[in-house]
Amino acid sequence: MAPLAGLLHELGHRVEGVDAHLYPPMSTLLEDLGIPVRIGFDAAALPDDIDRVIIGNAVPRTNVEVAAVLERRLPHLAQAEAVAHYVLARGLQSLVVAGTHGKTTTSAMLSWILETTGSDPSYLVGGLPQWNPRGFRLGDGRWLVIEGDEYNTAFFDRGPKFLHYRPHLFILGPVEFDHADLYPNLDAVMTAFRAGAAQVPRHGAVVVNTWSDHALAACRDATAPIVTVGEGGEVDLRLVSWDGGEGTSRAELSWRGCDLALELRQPGLHNIQNAAVAVAAAAVCGVDPGAAAGAMASFPGVARRMEVVGEAGGIVVVDDFAHHPTALAATIAAARQRWPERRLVIAFEPRSLTAARRSFHDAYLAALAGADLVLVAPPYHSDRLAPDDVLDRTALAEALAARGVASLMPERGDDPALAIRPAIRRGDVVVGCSSGDFGGFHRKLVDALQTGGTT
């Protein structure tokens, strides 16, 4: 919503916002753009001269301002509808990056390739690219790169957002069961992605990550050409080999028989895979494959993806968006690659409704067992789940101990940054993982370390 507000502002619209709360980096973005945001919903504060209301998917029907919009019969759109109405209607062709994992990073990678190779793209990314702290760009080229979320569009439109984006390319990363508050099972998730792939016209293409069997299966109803990225079999872009050091990751690729060299500043196999998908998508858009792969060597990354927040007392504090078990495992593996000789401490906040669920116990255990010390904060939305459905942190602690991994399970109301401080020592790398702001965990920890030092 914040990058969309910025894009509409740049298109010349007068934009205002309202939310229950706001935190960096999006609060900083809106402030820098001069877009005013009210904190706290109040029907009486709804402007009289409003032309159209754009309603985010986190806002329920019971919201007092939503009620006022409906009672006053004000024209309103969902966020995804607004993209189609105001942005795609300008004649842009959309490159929609979808999937359970890697959407923001892959969107940013593809945007970087198109921007640095002269395509002058527009883009709307869910995170903040390191080279563009605004998260959006309005170019003069034909392409709009947009992150295609499978979550529901609005309270009045329960379908996935990406169904509104009219994809020329549907770029599909790994597909897994997620968003348990919306999708009852994996079959329902697959139905959503199949609909996205089926939307692509014959003159477009579906670019699919074949490391994910579910992603490949989601393409079964597509009539557009399917461009495959993977390791084995007859794929269009093949990962021949890869290796990773502390500073970079390198890979050999083959695009339809043409050998390519790929280098990344970002660690982890998952980022190599994301980059390979972005290179394939760019090649389909007419970018020279060698130039596309070469552009990745200078890709600066995305905020909150293995982002070093600070270092104090010999301890590195890192922020990462990982919250699904698969993403958490990938982050831990990437951290091991980047800091191979250091003790790895993972602080995890089960922020989403899915992350808070007991059914993910085994998956979280397998992921967190890759750390040396673990802190798991109380599930953020536990009050919205039945007690028997909430992740059992006591059982998780016992299972981690059985695998030789120490853990901390602070109580609700305790500050995780203060809880973890006595347990960490010089040389540690602390990665705080959450899909939210984690109560300012990262900055609080850096401040505490700067003030009190370490042992």
Side-chain angles (χ1 to χ4, degrees), residues 237-262:
L237 190 147
R238 183 164 61 92
L239 175 61
V240 179
S241 64
W242 84 283
D243 64 84
E246 294 183 35
T248 59
S249 301
R250 296 180 180 85
E252 295 180 12
L253 307 176
S254 176
W255 167 254
R256 296 174 175 171
C258 176
D259 293 337
L260 308 174
L262 179 73

Side-chain angles (χ1 to χ4, degrees), residues 164-179:
H164 292 278
Y165 293 156
R166 310 171 191 168
H168 174 76
L169 293 190
F170 192 66
I171 302 157
L172 189 53
V175 171
E176 291 190 67
F177 178 58
D178 196 8
H179 303 307

Side-chain angles (χ1 to χ4, degrees), residues 211-227:
W211 283 282
S212 168
D213 291 339
H214 295 315
L216 192 58
C219 300
R220 73 178 190 188
D221 297 328
T223 58
I226 297 175
V227 178

